[in-house]
Amino acid sequence: MSQSAVSRAYTPGASVSIQTRQRVMDAARQLGYRPNAIARTLITKRSRMIAVVMSQLDNQFYPMVLEKLSQRLRSDGYHVLLFITSRDESDGVLAEILQYQVDAIVMASTVLSSALARDCARVGSPVILFNRMTKRAANEDHPPSAVTSDNEAGGRMAARHLHAGGHQRIAYIAGLEESSTNLDRERGFRDELALLGSRIHARAVGNYSYEGAQLAARQLFGSAAERPDAVFVGSDHMALAVMDVLRSELGLRIPEDVSVVGFDNVPQAAWGAYQLTTIEQPIGLMIEATATMLHALLHKGAQVSSVT
């Protein structure tokens, strides 16, 4: 067999007949041969690895994203190289990622500076933001590609649902205040309430963390005076923490005393102990859009902006 035929037999999607691939695999089994992925990278300049950067794996939404994204990329012949980072060290971790010659980078639950985005583009590693957007710098011709759900529309849905329930004192618990997800969800929520002749009665910040949401719930509901009768929480991860505080610490009933709405529709939201009303993010569509965008960036050299 020629070297090129063997290479094609081990390359997902390559043009090779079934008979040739079978001959290669039979010979490889007899010889104990395994292809060397590192050597192939040196030759092709492609590692077929996609770096995924996450900073909130305690949030139930992101392990679900990681599982489905990994499965989808594997079906295209790619492997995931996972990097866990805190919110304020993304640039340092990404500088390290570039040493691994990954084909592309998907950033979820974290942010990317414009300078580092340009560095990634310069070395040929396209970046896709997942569930995040970034502001376009004045001197930036091509901002990083991004895939998000329509967070503003989700905020509007939450407002209509709570207003239709007859609630008068509707609170909001924010995630990370400067994140695009929080800004869009809060904007939609606030604007829709205004259209309905209402407003946000009280507000606190949970920073997309369980502990932060607990503190926010105590702040908003700790006093009986003018206590909110409903709350929209910027993520399910925080909403579950809010429900725990309301029931276990403050003795409030849900939904009789307080209605709670979350955002994401993680599996835990449907658990019998919670039965949380939530705005669903279409993870399947978001994953598919990410895979399609990666294909366009890697195989066509196209510049793709954002998909919502």
Side-chain angles (χ1 to χ4, degrees):
M1 304 297 294
S2 67
Q3 181 178 345
S4 61
V6 174
S7 177
R8 289 196 303 275
Y10 277 100
T11 302
S15 176
V16 59
S17 69
I18 296 176
Q19 294 81 2
T20 298
R21 177 175 279 114
Q22 188 60 52
R23 289 177 61 197
V24 170
M25 298 305 169
D26 289 344
R29 279 192 293 271
Q30 294 177 23
L31 297 171
Y33 170 79
R34 294 289 184 275
N36 188 317
I38 297 176
R40 176 176 290 186
T41 298
L42 296 175
I43 296 172
T44 64
K45 305 302 181 184
R46 290 289 187 185
S47 63
R48 302 201 69 81
M49 288 193 300
I50 307 296
V52 175
V53 186
M54 290 188 170
S55 64
Q56 290 177 287
L57 282 179
D58 57 335
N59 182 336
Q60 299 91 342
F61 177 71
Y62 287 105
M64 187 165 53
V65 168
L66 180 60
E67 177 184 2
K68 294 182 181 298
L69 180 61
S70 298
Q71 291 172 345
R72 179 61 179 83
L73 293 179
R74 185 180 179 186
S75 70
D76 285 342
Y78 290 96
H79 299 282
V80 166
L81 185 62
L82 178 63
F83 289 81
I84 306 298
T85 176
S86 65
R87 298 188 185 105
D88 57 357
E89 65 175 11
S90 298
D91 279 17
V93 170
L94 280 174
E96 176 185 347
I97 290 173
L98 295 180
Q99 301 176 31
Y100 288 84
Q101 201 172 338
V102 295
D103 290 350
I105 302 168
V106 176
M107 299 188 65
S109 70
T110 187
V111 294
L112 174 70
S113 72
S114 297
L116 191 57
R118 289 193 294 271
D119 289 343
C120 293
R122 187 166 52 248
V123 299
S125 291
V127 177
I128 295 177
L129 302 181
F130 186 93
N131 200 36
R132 286 291 190 275
M133 300 284 283
T134 187
K135 293 181 179 179
R136 183 169 181 169
N139 61 344
E140 192 173 21
D141 294 330
H142 300 293
S145 302
V147 175
T148 71
S149 62
D150 192 337
N151 290 289
E152 186 170 339
R156 291 182 180 276
M157 291 172 64
R160 290 194 296 271
H161 174 77
L162 292 174
H163 184 269
H167 299 289
Q168 301 296 316
R169 301 183 304 278
I170 304 175
Y172 176 67
I173 295 181
L176 285 170
E177 292 208 78
E178 295 304 315
S179 68
S180 63
T181 51
N182 178 73
L183 291 171
D184 289 347
R185 291 169 193 177
E186 184 170 3
R187 182 187 306 111
F189 186 61
R190 182 187 62 244
D191 290 353
E192 190 66 19
L193 284 179
L195 289 175
L196 296 168
S198 185
R199 63 180 179 84
I200 294 177
H201 170 73
R203 181 183 185 278
V205 180
N207 290 313
Y208 286 136
S209 76
Y210 188 91
E211 294 77 11
Q214 286 181 309
L215 293 173
R218 295 180 189 120
Q219 175 186 334
L220 292 176
F221 295 92
S223 172
E226 290 297 303
R227 175 182 286 159
D229 59 6
V231 59
F232 172 41
V233 189
S235 75
D236 286 354
H237 181 61
M238 293 194 299
L240 300 182
V242 170
M243 294 178 75
D244 287 341
V245 169
L246 293 179
R247 292 189 299 199
S248 300
E249 295 184 20
L250 304 179
L252 297 174
R253 298 170 301 164
I254 302 170
E256 292 84 357
D257 298 321
V258 182
S259 289
V260 181
V261 174
F263 201 107
D264 287 334
N265 193 22
V266 301
Q268 291 81 356
W271 287 1
Y274 293 104
Q275 293 293 304
L276 172 66
T277 298
T278 181
I279 308 299
E280 181 176 8
Q281 292 214 70
I283 290 183
L285 293 176
M286 294 169 70
I287 295 295
E288 192 61 34
T290 302
T292 300
M293 191 176 286
L294 280 169
H295 185 273
L297 292 169
L298 292 172
H299 297 284
K300 300 177 183 178
Q303 178 63 39
V304 185
S305 54
S306 62
V307 174
T308 300

